[in-house]
Every structure is written in C-alpha cells, then in structure tokens.
Amino acid sequence: MATGRHRYRFVDGEPRDGLKCSKCHLVLCDPQQATCCAKRFCKSCLDQMEDKRCPSCREPINCFRDGGINREIMGLKVYCTNSEEGCEWQGTINETDDTSIDTHLNTCPYQLVPCTNGCGEKIRRNSLKTHLTDNCLERMVNCQYCNQRGRYQLITSSSHFDECPDLPIQCSNEGCNMIPRRHSQSLHNETCPKAIIPCAYNTVGCNKVMKREEQEKHNEDSITAHLQLTKKQLGKAKEQLQVIRWCYLYICCVCVFVFVFAFVCVFMYKELETTNKQMQASYKQLERTTKEQIQKTNQQLETTNEQMQVMYKQLERTTKQQIQKTNQQLETTNEQMQVTYKQLERTKKEQLEMARKEQIKMMNKQLESTKEQLKVEKEIIKSLKTALEQKNPLMKTNEVLKLSQFTEKKEEDKEWFSPGFYTSQGGYKMSLRVISNGNGEGKGTHVSCYIHLMAGEYDDALEWPFQGVVTIELLNQLEDRNHWKHFIPIDESIEDEVKQRVKEGRSTSGRGPPKLISHKELKYKPATNCQYLKDDSLYFRVSVKVTSKTKPWLVGASRII
C-alpha cells in the first residue's frame, strides 16, 4: 500500500513511480519538478531541506509546480481512511470535488470526532449520539429522587446526595424501619413512635424519658405521682408569692415614710423662705427710711444700726425655737407611724395565716373530688371502648389497604377508592383514592394518592374543620423495611372544601401528592431488596395523627342519641 500525506489506500493498486517523490518515495503531495534533473519532489520535502540543493544531482535547486502530475494524482481513486473499521466508501483525492475524501470524512460515520459536551473523548460519529445520552460524564441528567437537572458527574456525586431534599434516609431512631425523604425528616421525628422524648410533666419534676409510643401508658401509670409533683410545685409557688407580697408591703411603708418626711422638709423650707423674704422687705424699707437720716446725723445711723442688730438677734432666737419645735413634732409623728405599722403587720399576718389554712382545706377537698372523678371517667372510657369495638365494623387505620389489577387500572386510567375507615374509635371517617396512571403533574409517570373525608357516625361529636397529619405508606412486599412514606399535613392553610364536614357520601375534594412514586420505582430493586408492585397489586397503610378535638361539651358522653 502506497501512502502520501494523508496515508491513503488506493483502489487500483500502487501508483506508478512517476507519481512518487524522488526523496521520500511516497505519492507526491503538491508536486514540484526540478529544472536541473527533471526529478519531482513533494513541496514539504523541499521545505525541510537545509542546503537547498537537489537531492538527486546535488545542483542548486530551482523548481516549478507540476500541475499535470498534480491533476493525475488528484484523480486517483482511494478507499476511506476508516475502511478497516467497516467504511466501504471509494472516491478521489481532489480537495475541491464533492466526491473527494475530505468531503466524505466530514460525514463519515466511522470518523473519530470530539465529544460536543467537552468531556475530552473522541468517538466515532455513528456512536456520538449514544455517547452523549448514555456514557458522557458531562451529559445533562435528572436526579432520580428530586428531579434536579445537572451534569452527570455532579448529580451522581456525594455532594448532591448530601443535599438532595428527596433522598430516602433511614430513620435514626432505634427500632424504626421508616425511610422518609430528607425534607420530611423533621416532620417524621415529631410523630415517630420510636423517638426518645421526656415526660410531659418534666416542668413539675418528672425526669422520666421514654419512647413516644410508651408516653400514654406512662401518663396513665404515673397519674398519682404527677398530681403530687404538681401540688408540690404549686406550694413552692405560693411560698414565693407570699415572700414577694411581704417585700412589697415593706417597700410601700418605707416609701410612705420618705414621702411624709420630704413633705415636712419642703413645708419648713417654704416657711423659712417666707421669713427671709419678710426680713428682706423690712430691711429695704428701713434702708429707704433711714437714708435721709444718715445724711443728717451719724448718731441716728448708729442708733438705727443697734436697733437692727437687736431685731436680728430676736429673729434668730425665734427661728431656732420654731425649728426645735418642728423637729420634736417630726419625732413624735415618726414614733406614731412605727406603732401603726407594727399593728398593721400583726393584723395582716393573722389574716394571711387564716386564709392559707382555709385554702389548704379547699385544695385537699378538690384533690379528693378530682381523684373520684378520674376513677369514674376511666370506667366510662373503658365502657365506651368496649361498645365501639362491638358496634364499629369498619377498618382501623393500622390495617392494610390492597389495590388489585394495577396494570388494568393504569391502562384504562381508572380511579380506585378504598373502603371507608376511621382515624380512631369514635373519630373521623376517611377514604383513600388512588390513580394508577397519575394525575396532574404525575400524569403518565407516577402514582397519585388523595385522602377524602366521608360522612361518619361520630361527626356530631367532633370538632370541624378537621386538622391533623395523614401518613400514607406504600409497603415493600419483600420485607418490613424500605416502605415508601409520604406525609399530608392538613391545617389552617389548606382550603376549606378539603377539611370541612361531609353531610353525605365522601368529599369531592381530596388532599395528597400527585407524584407519590414514579412507575419506575415500583419495580424490583436488588440493591435494597425492595419491590412495591407484586402480583399486579399494591398495598397501602394509612395512619392519622388528629390535632382537632372532640367538642368539649360532649367529652365524657356515653353516646349521642
């Protein structure tokens, strides 16, 4: 096989020697003919020479382009460079012809081309589409859990799975087999029966910790201890309140004393200020009347001065006597106030002691009556439970709902309603609606589930609208773990038509996820030993945590006639 610059394989065999370079002995590429010896050379071979002498005769070389030979070479038929990989194309070398090999290589399915996603690999053109959709590390894909779109390396990396809101995560509570989504972890922890929680009476001194499912039994077994702790806490609070009251009375008395003392001081200050003003007025009057006399005689001035000194001494003595009398009156008033305060303190102590004894007697009577009432209510509750178990034929919320003939319902786009069930004995009545082929956003790709309220036997005794959290579990039919779980909170933010009372039949409006689970997730997964669809059937488990309550005036009633 003769090859040139492009390393072609020729259809008609090896070309003649006149079409080959006299230096590299390959097919000429851009042929140049030397004028000295008429030999032909490739232009690239001549460009690589350093001494610029003819390789054949060693004379100073002078060449011209041989167009005739070049046209003959361009007309040679060659195979595709990818013929060994299976390409059967044949054509000419001519670079300007539509049938040339360069034109063919631009569309050859066996030609290696770089990945358009920029991953750095070179792939044959006929395998590029498969590489871009299945193998390229830079291709765009959707997360199988949260449906976020991004590059394959990012979506399948641990950094995304550490933040993916819909990633199923095993519950951390010991003994719990639930695997809720990451964004539902906090809501699950609030209702998980295996979660460790403190006693509801820890604020009054009960330090017991237990699993949430054991809390109700603990409250029933420790009701007497809880009442004693509450009584003890109330006693401490009353003692603290009594101390605060005494402190308040003492402060009030001190404030009254300070106020009276300040009032007396202000009164005396005003009296002194008035006396001073009178003296100043007398002095000015005296000064005005004696001015003329001073000019007339020095003797009269001395006499007047002596009179003024005498008046000042008398006034001073009078003022001192008044201040002494006022101080004696203040001391007498203070002694009287102290005697009155001691009498009030003794009277209040006696009254408080009597009131305290009466309150203790009343509290003891109330505790005894409360204990008797609790015993009666326990007996009523037991009788009500027994009557409800005998009377109620409907399913309990912990029983499993089975949907059969899934494939038929999916292909015919049928809805399926479960039999009615109650949230608890004497609770709300509900029904589960399942759309196998999906609804809304999940149409054709997911299974949709909705909870509908129904007219129940106990609706008159219940509080409306309904409020609570409904948990739907799609059960793994291979083992009791890896169940698919979804929470449906129904609170004040939900529209009224979903949670209002139904007078007859079932509610036309339901609440639930249009994309509970995709059809792909229903199949068997060996990695987790999980299969939700088996024998063309699905199994659902529904549990309800009710936050709305029975009407207070109907609590304790044996039944409503």
Side-chain angles (χ1 to χ4, degrees):
M1 179 183 71
T3 58
R5 178 167 58 95
H6 300 288
R7 300 186 181 276
Y8 301 130
R9 189 164 63 91
F10 295 91
V11 176
D12 298 328
E14 192 73 12
R16 60 187 178 85
D17 292 339
L19 302 179
K20 296 182 179 180
C21 175
S22 298
K23 185 175 187 300
C24 66
H25 305 294
L26 299 175
V27 175
L28 287 163
C29 179
D30 194 5
Q32 306 289 322
Q33 187 174 9
T35 57
C36 55
C37 60
K39 297 291 186 181
R40 297 181 181 89
F41 304 95
C42 297
K43 187 174 186 307
S44 60
C45 293
L46 294 177
D47 293 338
Q48 294 173 2
M49 293 170 52
E50 295 180 358
D51 57 359
K52 303 300 179 184
R53 289 182 177 272
C54 179
S56 180
C57 62
R58 305 304 298 168
E59 293 291 331
I61 192 167
N62 188 13
C63 298
F64 62 92
R65 189 172 185 275
D66 194 337
I69 292 298
N70 186 58
R71 284 191 296 273
E72 185 176 353
I73 292 173
M74 291 294 104
L76 293 175
K77 281 192 172 186
V78 294
Y79 291 105
C80 175
T81 55
N82 299 310
S83 60
E84 293 182 358
E85 281 72 29
C87 183
E88 298 178 355
W89 178 89
Q90 297 179 13
T92 62
I93 305 176
N94 191 358
E95 296 178 354
T96 60
D97 192 358
D98 293 339
T99 61
S100 67
I101 189 169
D102 288 340
T103 303
H104 165 69
L105 290 177
N106 290 332
T107 59
C108 179
Y110 297 93
Q111 181 69 8
L112 292 175
V113 293
C115 174
T116 57
N117 286 337
C119 69
E121 292 191 23
K122 287 189 176 182
I123 310 96
R124 301 200 181 278
R125 185 176 278 110
N126 58 358
S127 302
L128 179 62
K129 185 176 181 181
T130 302
H131 170 77
L132 292 176
T133 56
D134 299 334
N135 303 322
C136 182
L137 298 178
E138 296 295 325
R139 68 184 185 274
M140 300 298 289
V141 296
N142 293 335
C143 176
Q144 61 177 327
Y145 301 110
C146 67
N147 209 29
Q148 179 182 341
R149 188 163 181 80
R151 298 195 177 277
Y152 175 79
Q153 284 184 320
L154 176 62
I155 294 299
T156 57
S157 66
S158 60
S159 61
H160 171 70
F161 287 130
D162 291 341
E163 300 176 354
C164 181
D166 290 336
L167 182 70
I169 299 177
Q170 177 69 44
C171 177
S172 59
N173 295 320
E174 183 179 358
C176 182
N177 296 323
M178 302 302 173
I179 309 180
R181 302 296 182 99
R182 176 179 276 119
H183 66 80
S184 301
Q185 275 283 351
S186 58
L187 185 60
H188 169 72
N189 288 334
E190 293 178 1
T191 60
C192 181
K194 303 295 182 180
I196 303 300
I197 59 173
C199 177
Y201 292 87
N202 61 344
T203 55
V204 296
C206 183
N207 299 322
K208 180 75 174 179
V209 293
M210 69 214 76
K211 294 182 178 180
R212 182 175 278 110
E213 61 186 3
E214 300 172 356
Q215 186 178 29
E216 186 175 354
K217 183 177 182 302
H218 168 71
N219 290 339
E220 291 179 357
D221 295 342
S222 306
I223 186 169
T224 303
H226 288 165
L227 285 172
Q228 291 176 352
L229 289 171
T230 304
K231 180 180 176 182
K232 185 178 179 181
Q233 196 71 14
L234 285 172
K236 290 182 180 179
K238 286 182 179 179
E239 291 177 359
Q240 294 175 354
L241 182 60
Q242 190 67 25
V243 172
I244 292 171
R245 285 177 178 173
W246 281 114
C247 292
Y248 175 75
L249 288 173
Y250 177 75
I251 292 171
C252 288
C253 292
V254 172
C255 290
V256 169
F257 174 75
V258 172
F259 177 76
V260 171
F261 181 76
F263 178 77
V264 172
C265 291
V266 170
F267 177 76
M268 292 300 300
Y269 175 77
K270 288 183 178 180
E271 288 289 329
L272 289 171
E273 189 176 12
T274 303
T275 304
N276 188 24
K277 287 181 179 179
Q278 291 175 355
M279 287 177 61
Q280 289 178 357
S282 300
Y283 178 79
K284 288 180 181 179
Q285 185 177 3
L286 183 62
E287 186 177 14
R288 284 194 301 269
T289 56
T290 57
K291 229 177 190 182
E292 296 176 356
Q293 293 178 2
I294 289 173
Q295 293 176 355
K296 294 179 180 180
T297 176
N298 290 329
Q299 292 179 355
Q300 291 179 353
L301 179 61
E302 291 177 358
T303 303
T304 304
N305 190 19
E306 290 176 359
Q307 291 175 353
M308 288 179 65
Q309 288 179 355
V310 171
M311 289 177 63
Y312 179 76
K313 289 179 180 179
Q314 290 177 353
L315 182 62
E316 188 176 7
R317 286 195 298 270
T318 303
T319 304
K320 286 182 178 179
Q321 291 175 0
Q322 290 179 352
I323 290 172
Q324 289 176 356
K325 289 180 180 180
T326 303
N327 287 333
Q328 290 176 358
Q329 291 175 356
L330 283 173
E331 290 177 357
T332 303
T333 303
N334 189 18
E335 291 176 356
Q336 291 176 354
M337 287 180 63
Q338 289 180 353
V339 171
T340 303
Y341 174 74
K342 290 179 179 179
Q343 291 177 352
L344 286 172
E345 190 173 4
R346 284 196 299 270
T347 303
K348 288 182 178 179
K349 281 184 178 179
E350 292 174 356
Q351 292 177 352
L352 288 171
E353 187 66 25
M354 292 175 64
R356 184 180 177 185
K357 290 179 179 179
E358 291 178 358
Q359 287 179 352
I360 291 172
K361 290 179 180 179
M362 290 294 293
M363 287 179 64
N364 289 331
K365 290 180 180 180
Q366 289 177 357
L367 283 173
E368 291 177 359
S369 63
T370 302
K371 289 180 179 179
E372 293 177 358
Q373 187 176 358
L374 283 173
K375 290 180 181 179
V376 173
E377 288 181 352
K378 282 184 178 180
E379 293 177 358
I380 293 173
I381 290 170
K382 287 181 180 179
S383 62
L384 282 174
K385 285 184 177 179
T386 304
L388 285 171
E389 289 174 355
Q390 295 174 355
K391 188 176 180 181
N392 183 18
L394 298 174
M395 285 188 259
K396 298 180 182 178
T397 55
N398 60 353
E399 294 188 2
V400 175
L401 308 174
K402 179 181 179 182
L403 184 150
S404 304
Q405 299 177 346
F406 173 81
T407 304
E408 179 183 344
K409 291 180 174 64
K410 176 184 173 185
E411 291 176 352
E412 296 180 2
D413 201 9
K414 288 183 177 180
E415 295 181 345
W416 175 79
F417 285 91
S418 73
F421 57 87
Y422 284 92
T423 59
S424 62
Q425 296 291 349
Y428 298 87
K429 187 177 182 183
M430 296 181 173
S431 176
L432 176 67
R433 175 166 67 108
V434 181
I435 305 176
S436 302
N437 198 34
N439 184 37
E441 297 177 358
K443 185 71 173 179
T445 59
H446 289 71
V447 176
S448 302
C449 287
Y450 301 91
I451 285 291
H452 292 256
L453 288 171
M454 298 181 67
E457 183 179 354
Y458 313 103
D459 289 353
D460 290 335
L462 299 173
E463 193 71 28
W464 296 94
F466 166 78
Q467 291 189 17
V469 178
V470 181
T471 304
I472 299 177
E473 294 179 82
L474 180 57
L475 302 183
N476 176 14
Q477 299 189 42
L478 299 182
E479 57 181 345
D480 189 16
R481 58 181 299 176
N482 296 332
H483 304 309
W484 196 277
K485 193 171 184 179
H486 186 87
F487 299 94
I488 306 174
I490 301 177
D491 50 27
E492 296 177 354
S493 62
I494 304 302
E495 56 271 16
D496 290 341
E497 59 185 6
V498 174
K499 56 187 180 182
Q500 287 294 352
R501 179 180 177 182
V502 181
K503 298 298 183 181
E504 185 177 357
R506 69 170 62 88
S507 173
T508 57
S509 298
R511 183 72 177 175
K515 298 169 71 173
L516 174 67
I517 186 171
S518 67
H519 294 154
K520 295 179 181 179
E521 295 289 339
L522 298 174
K523 298 179 181 178
Y524 173 66
K525 289 186 176 181
T528 58
N529 193 28
C530 182
Q531 185 174 0
Y532 301 108
L533 179 62
K534 186 177 180 183
D535 299 330
D536 204 28
S537 299
L538 296 176
Y539 290 84
F540 295 89
R541 182 165 57 203
V542 180
S543 58
V544 183
K545 180 182 179 183
V546 179
T547 57
S548 52
K549 301 178 180 178
T550 305
K551 293 179 179 178
W553 58 87
L554 293 177
V555 173
S558 59
R559 62 174 183 154
I560 298 174
I561 302 175

